[in-house]
Amino acid sequence: MDTAAVWRAESARLIGALTRMTRDLDLAEDLAQDALVSALEQWPANGVPDNPGAWLMTTAKRRAVDTFRRADTLRQKLEVLSRDLREEDGMPDLTTQVDAIEDDVLRLIFLTCHPELSPESRAALTLRLVGGLSTAEIARAFLTSESTMGQRISRAKKSLQAVGVEFDLPTGDERAARLDDVLAVIYLIFNEGYTATNGARWMRPELTGEAIRLARMIAKLVPDLPEVHGLQSLLELQASRSVARIDTDGRPVLLEDQDRTRWDTLLIRRGLASLDRAERLAVRGAPVGRYVLQAAIAAQHARAAAAQDTDWQTIARLYDLLASAAPGPVVEVNRAVAHGRAYGPAAGLAVLDALPDGALGGSHLLPSVRADLLARAGRTAEAQAMFRTAAQLTRNASERDLLLRRAAAARGQA
């Protein structure tokens, strides 16, 4: 495992634990970054240690001790940290701290989804501190500049410090109020991994894996709410197709062209089991929302042995429900796909035509779906032009290649 992969895997635990110890988000991140710099300096020559997470934690704690030594007002914290280091006898066994560390990550998630912050700032800060993304990567995900995103993250941390937030897990109504944002942020992390908004890679498995891990943790924390199981189900079912979404040359493969024998059956079973838990809770009266409905849609794909076996009419009905429960242009575009498959391309195009001008802004999603429906309707010249428009808008190289290939295929059908 290289240093970047270690950082991606360990940064959230590291920052979470350091925030719990120092009660200072900025200081925790600085200490974690210092530990990363030390790793970059030492690991190339000495090799990656057997327990890289423990190595980073110990290095960061030593940096904390040095920092506290220079601050007389924090002398009491120095004694606590120094005692911890003496007890660890060198590199600590991180596995003995698993429960506390997992709690630290959860605390970090709820902290970054604090109501004091705007939804965009919550997502950005969570991606930075929990997802381990760089400021540049987050900026690309939000289609903004790196400097703008850096300022947004900095303001978010200052806002949290200004209101004197606690690093404790919220309880009662406060936890419920933040839960929607927590789920939204986890889903955002997953989506960035499932279809990268930028770069050469179609997917970023490290992000999808992290999002699934966080979704499972949340489902254990609040097991009585259908939506948390719905989110877990949705992520497991979508991730089950990951391997089949890329061909041997690393190029994207559309859902209907995928070799379904390559789908991960374990993830499908886990996803269906989570959906079953959500539906059993719903039968007892617990409310359901966007994640349960999207998981139900994903389950329809998972249960179809072949693309032609897909029950598109049921999927179209589920999208109609989703459009009522969680309206928005992205849902409408996906609803257009479902109606196009269930009732013909004209039905799908009618859904798109009802969208207001400027829906989805400069996203490639709308023109790419319109191009697909036009191609299925036999309007090949229009489809070719629309595929090219979508290719110009996407910032992902693999997706651009796929759209240009589809444009060429449409030209061949003319």
Side-chain angles (χ1 to χ4, degrees):
M1 183 180 290
D2 61 24
T3 305
V6 171
W7 177 249
R8 188 76 77 193
E10 301 294 344
S11 62
R13 298 179 179 87
L14 192 60
I15 294 171
L18 291 167
T19 304
R20 173 170 52 80
M21 294 172 191
T22 64
R23 300 279 165 174
D24 186 322
L25 194 57
D26 261 338
L27 176 59
E29 192 178 15
D30 287 345
L31 292 170
Q33 292 286 348
D34 284 348
L36 173 63
V37 171
S38 295
L40 290 170
E41 292 172 346
Q42 297 182 38
W43 291 1
N46 303 329
V48 177
D50 292 338
N51 193 335
W55 191 99
L56 289 168
M57 184 69 76
T58 298
T59 302
K61 281 185 177 180
R62 287 177 175 151
R63 294 285 191 277
V65 169
D66 292 341
T67 300
F68 291 151
R69 277 186 178 135
R70 291 192 295 268
D72 291 338
T73 57
L74 297 175
R75 189 172 299 149
Q76 186 174 359
K77 291 182 178 181
L78 168 63
E79 294 172 357
V80 173
L81 286 165
S82 298
R83 184 170 62 249
D84 285 349
L85 280 176
R86 288 195 299 272
E87 291 172 351
E88 284 165 358
D89 188 26
M91 294 297 180
D93 178 5
L94 204 61
T95 57
T96 63
Q97 307 176 32
V98 167
D99 289 342
I101 289 170
E102 295 304 314
D103 284 348
D104 287 338
V105 176
L106 282 174
R107 289 190 185 95
L108 195 58
I109 295 172
F110 277 93
L111 177 68
T112 56
C113 292
H114 194 280
E116 182 68 21
L117 305 179
S118 68
E120 294 79 11
S121 294
R122 295 172 198 161
L125 196 57
T126 304
L127 284 169
R128 172 65 178 270
L129 299 181
V130 183
L133 274 69
S134 68
T135 302
E137 290 172 321
I138 303 169
R140 287 196 294 270
F142 283 88
L143 302 178
T144 189
S145 68
E146 183 175 350
S147 61
T148 298
M149 184 53 67
Q151 292 170 4
R152 181 183 300 176
I153 291 172
S154 178
R155 283 197 300 269
K157 288 191 288 188
K158 289 178 179 175
S159 296
L160 292 179
Q161 290 172 342
V163 297
V165 295
E166 298 293 333
F167 191 55
D168 298 324
L169 276 174
T171 58
D173 291 342
E174 187 181 2
R175 177 183 292 187
R178 289 198 211 174
L179 188 60
D180 280 348
D181 294 319
V182 170
L183 300 183
V185 164
I186 293 173
Y187 193 33
L188 180 63
I189 294 171
F190 180 86
N191 281 335
E192 179 59 22
Y194 198 60
T195 304
T197 53
N198 205 324
R201 290 191 297 164
W202 173 240
M203 292 187 295
R204 301 170 61 181
E206 68 277 13
L207 289 184
T208 57
E210 177 68 7
I212 290 173
R213 188 182 71 81
L214 295 174
R216 290 171 179 168
M217 289 168 57
I218 293 291
K220 289 180 181 177
L221 181 69
V222 281
D224 297 330
L225 295 178
E227 281 294 85
V228 298
H229 298 295
L231 178 66
Q232 182 183 347
S233 171
L234 175 61
L235 304 197
E236 307 258 19
L237 291 171
Q238 287 189 311
S240 71
R241 310 176 203 144
S242 294
V243 173
R245 295 182 76 228
I246 297 176
D247 66 15
T248 54
D249 295 322
R251 298 181 302 184
V253 179
L254 296 176
L255 175 62
E256 61 192 8
D257 297 326
Q258 291 172 12
D259 177 0
R260 299 188 178 213
T261 63
R262 300 181 67 200
W263 285 5
D264 189 320
T265 55
L266 176 59
L267 287 176
I268 290 175
R269 287 199 301 273
R270 286 177 170 172
L272 294 177
S274 294
L275 180 59
D276 181 64
R277 282 193 288 275
E279 290 174 339
R280 280 189 278 114
L281 289 168
V283 168
R284 296 204 294 268
V288 301
R290 69 185 69 184
Y291 300 114
V292 173
L293 289 170
Q294 289 182 84
I297 292 168
Q300 290 297 324
H301 292 297
R303 290 168 177 143
Q308 60 268 28
D309 298 330
T310 306
D311 185 351
W312 281 108
Q313 292 192 4
T314 294
I315 292 175
R317 286 196 293 274
L318 287 167
Y319 267 115
D320 291 344
L321 290 173
L322 182 61
S324 297
V330 173
V331 172
E332 287 302 302
V333 170
N334 287 317
R335 194 167 76 88
V337 173
H339 277 255
R341 298 290 194 282
Y343 308 114
L349 288 168
V351 175
L352 293 185
D353 290 342
L355 281 170
D357 292 340
L360 288 175
S363 168
H364 70 285
L365 181 60
L366 198 156
S368 65
V369 169
R370 185 181 292 280
D372 176 81
L373 291 167
L374 288 169
R376 291 174 188 274
R379 296 161 62 177
T380 51
E382 295 169 84
Q384 180 188 357
M386 199 57 67
F387 275 129
R388 288 192 172 279
T389 297
Q392 291 172 348
L393 291 173
T394 185
R395 301 173 70 175
N396 182 283
S398 295
E399 195 160 39
R400 184 180 304 112
D401 177 65
L402 171 66
L403 291 166
L404 290 176
R405 281 189 283 125
R406 297 199 71 188
R411 184 178 62 236
Q413 294 168 0

